[in-house]
Amino acid sequence: MAYRKTPAVRDRLDAAREHLIERATAVVADVGWANASVTTVAAAAGMSVGSVYQHFASKGALAVEVFRRASGREVGVVGEVLAHGTGDPVERLALGVGVFARRALENRGLAYALLAAPAEPAVGRERLEFRRRYRALFAAVVREGVAAGLLPAQDADVTAAALTGAIGEVLVDPLADHGEGSADRLVAELVAMSLRCAGAPPVAASPDPEGPS
Amino acid sequence: MAYRKTPAVRDRLDAAREHLIERATAVVADVGWANASVTTVAAAAGMSVGSVYQHFASKGALAVEVFRRASGREVGVVGEVLAHGTGDPVERLALGVGVFARRALENRGLAYALLAAPAEPAVGRERLEFRRRYRALFAAVVREGVAAGLLPAQDADVTAAALTGAIGEVLVDPLADHGEGSADRLVAELVAMSLRCAGAPPVAASPDPEGPS
DNA sequence: GTCTATAGAATGATAGAC
DNA sequence: GTCTATCATTCTATAGAC
C-alpha cells in the first residue's frame, strides 16, 4: 500500500513499454518467433529480463502484443487504400493488393511472422482475427464492385476469404526463401491473380504488353 | 542384453500405437488441439496416461504424428484426383477443388484442425509442409492446363499457392461457425472461384442458370 | 529370473475462479 | 490477490513376456 504512481512515473513506464514492444517487433522480424527468446528481446531493448516481466506477465503476452501492433498497422494501411483510396472499387482492390504485397516484401521477416510462421497458440488466435479483418475489408470492396457492375455477381464473403488466403499463401514462400529482384514481377502477378479471382475483366498489364494466348 | 522383442510383442505394440493415433485423431477432430489433453486421449484410446508415453516421447510428438497421418490422407486423395483423375486439366482442377472442399465439410473438426486451428509450433511446421504439398499438386495441374492451351499464360507456382490459400481460408469460417445445408452452394462457389483464379473461361453453372449482371 | 509395458498416483507448472 | 482445478510429465509398483 501507500504507494501511488505519479504521472511522471506512469509516463516513464509507458515509454519503456512502448520501446520494448518496438524492439521486440524488430527481433521477431529478424529471427522469428522461435528464436526470439526473452533474453534476446531484453538485450535488444536495453533492459534486463526481469524488467521485461515488469511489463508483461509472460513471454506469450508480449508476443501477442507485438502481433497486435504489427498486424493492426498492416491492416490499417491496406484498409485505408481499399476503403478510402482513389478510383473505382476494382482499381482500389488492385491498389490494395499491391500495397499488401509490397509491404510484405519490404519487411519479409515481419510479414512471415504475421502470416505463416509457426507460433504458440495464443499468437495463432490473433492470426485468425488478423485474417478476419482482411476478409472484412476485401468483402466490402468486392461488394462495392458488384454493386457498381464492375464485377460479376458472386458471394463477396467467399471471394474476400479467397483473396486473403491467396495473397497470404503466395507471399509465404518468397518471404521465407529466395526472391530478390523479382519482387515487382511477383506483385504484378499477384494483382493480376486477385483481379481474376474477383472476376474483373483482364486488363492489359502496364509494363509488360504481352497479349495472353 | 538377453531380451529381444518377439514378433508377437512388436505387433501388439504397433497395433496399440496405431490405435492410439486413430483415437487421438478422432479426439482432435472432436474437441480441437487445445482441448485434446493427454488424459482425454488416453481415455479415448482405452489406455493409461503412462502408456501413451510408452509410444510417444511427448504430447507434441503425438500431435505431430496425428497431423501427419491425417494431412497425408487428405493430400493423397486430392492429389489422386488432380494428377490421375479423368478429364482435361481444368476439369481435374474443378474436381480436385470439389473433393478438397467436400471432404473438409464432411469432417469439419479435422479440417479445421489441419488448416487453421491454433496449435503448438511443431504442428505449425507440419502445416507449412502440408500446404507446400498442395501447392505442388495444384502447380502441376495448372502447368498442364497452360500447356494444353486451356488456361492463359501465368506463373503456375503463384496460382497454385493462391489456390491453396484461397481454398483453405474460404473453408475456415464455415468449418468453425455455422454452415449446414449450404455446403453444396459453398462448394460450387469455391470451384467457380478457383477456376476464375486460374483464368479458366467461365462455364455456365449447372444447377443455377442465372445470367450474370 | 530378468527385463518391459502398464496403470495410476505424485509432482510441478499454469490458468481461471473467486 | 489467493485458491483451486487441470495440465503435461515423471515416478513407482505390478503384471506379464521372455
Side-chain angles (χ1 to χ4, degrees):
Chain A
M1 290 287 298
Y3 179 82
R4 205 173 200 92
K5 282 176 186 124
T6 64
V9 171
R10 180 42 14 124
D11 287 353
R12 192 168 51 71
L13 247 39
D14 283 356
R17 191 185 138 102
E18 290 304 309
H19 179 245
L20 170 58
I21 294 168
E22 207 174 281
R23 300 307 309 158
T25 304
V27 170
V28 168
D30 200 27
V31 302
W33 301 110
N35 295 88
S37 68
V38 176
T39 309
T40 306
V41 168
M47 61 175 71
S48 72
V49 171
S51 295
V52 170
Y53 281 96
Q54 286 297 322
H55 297 286
F56 292 95
S58 68
K59 177 182 167 173
L62 171 55
V64 165
E65 189 61 27
V66 164
F67 191 100
R68 280 203 185 133
R69 298 291 185 99
S71 64
R73 247 188 327 264
E74 297 306 311
V75 169
V77 171
V78 172
E80 194 55 38
V81 173
L82 287 175
H84 308 117
T86 61
D88 67 43
V90 171
E91 289 166 347
R92 274 183 279 133
L93 174 59
L95 238 52
V97 172
V99 167
F100 188 148
R102 244 185 308 272
R103 286 181 64 89
L105 293 168
E106 270 162 20
N107 195 157
R108 290 164 193 245
L110 184 61
Y112 186 65
L114 293 180
L115 287 169
E120 53 196 314
V123 170
R125 281 187 288 275
E126 291 299 318
R127 191 174 276 159
L128 287 178
E129 173 60 20
F130 171 52
R131 300 183 88 118
R132 222 183 51 74
R133 293 177 66 190
Y134 276 123
R135 290 209 299 272
L137 292 171
F138 282 127
V141 78
V142 167
R143 252 186 283 276
E144 278 187 73
V146 172
L150 297 166
L151 296 175
Q154 62 195 286
D155 185 323
D157 291 316
V158 167
T159 303
L163 287 169
T164 304
I167 298 165
E169 186 80 18
V170 168
L171 288 170
V172 164
D173 238 17
L175 293 175
D177 296 2
H178 49 77
E180 267 312 311
S182 57
D184 282 347
R185 198 193 59 77
L186 182 62
V187 172
E189 194 81 36
L190 203 44
V191 170
M193 185 280 298
S194 298
L195 293 179
R196 282 202 307 268
C197 191
V203 290
S206 23
D208 200 311
E210 284 178 325
S213 81
Chain B
M1 290 285 298
Y3 183 85
R4 204 172 201 95
K5 277 174 187 130
T6 64
V9 171
R10 168 92 309 154
D11 287 354
R12 189 170 51 74
L13 282 171
D14 284 356
R17 191 185 138 101
E18 290 304 308
H19 179 244
L20 170 58
I21 295 168
E22 206 173 281
R23 299 307 309 159
T25 303
V27 170
V28 167
D30 200 25
V31 301
W33 300 111
N35 295 85
S37 69
V38 177
T39 310
T40 306
V41 168
M47 61 176 69
S48 72
V49 171
S51 295
V52 170
Y53 281 90
Q54 211 50 233
H55 296 286
F56 293 95
S58 69
K59 178 184 171 172
L62 171 56
V64 165
E65 189 61 27
V66 165
F67 191 100
R68 281 204 183 131
R69 297 291 185 98
S71 64
R73 249 192 321 268
E74 296 306 311
V75 169
V77 171
V78 172
E80 193 55 39
V81 174
L82 287 175
H84 308 117
T86 61
D88 66 43
V90 171
E91 289 167 344
R92 274 183 279 131
L93 174 59
L95 238 53
V97 173
V99 167
F100 189 147
R102 245 184 306 273
R103 285 181 65 89
L105 293 168
E106 271 162 17
N107 194 159
R108 291 164 192 244
L110 185 61
Y112 186 64
L114 294 180
L115 288 169
E120 53 197 314
V123 170
R125 281 187 287 275
E126 291 299 317
R127 193 175 275 160
L128 287 179
E129 172 61 19
F130 172 53
R131 301 182 89 118
R132 221 183 52 73
R133 293 176 66 188
Y134 275 123
R135 290 208 298 272
L137 292 170
F138 282 127
V141 79
V142 167
R143 252 186 281 277
E144 278 187 74
V146 172
L150 297 166
L151 296 174
Q154 62 195 285
D155 185 324
D157 291 315
V158 167
T159 303
L163 287 169
T164 304
I167 298 164
E169 187 80 19
V170 169
L171 289 170
V172 164
D173 238 18
L175 293 175
D177 297 2
H178 48 78
E180 267 310 312
S182 58
D184 281 347
R185 199 192 58 78
L186 181 63
V187 172
E189 193 82 35
L190 204 43
V191 170
M193 185 278 299
S194 299
L195 293 180
R196 282 202 308 266
C197 191
V203 290
S206 21
D208 200 312
E210 282 179 324
S213 82

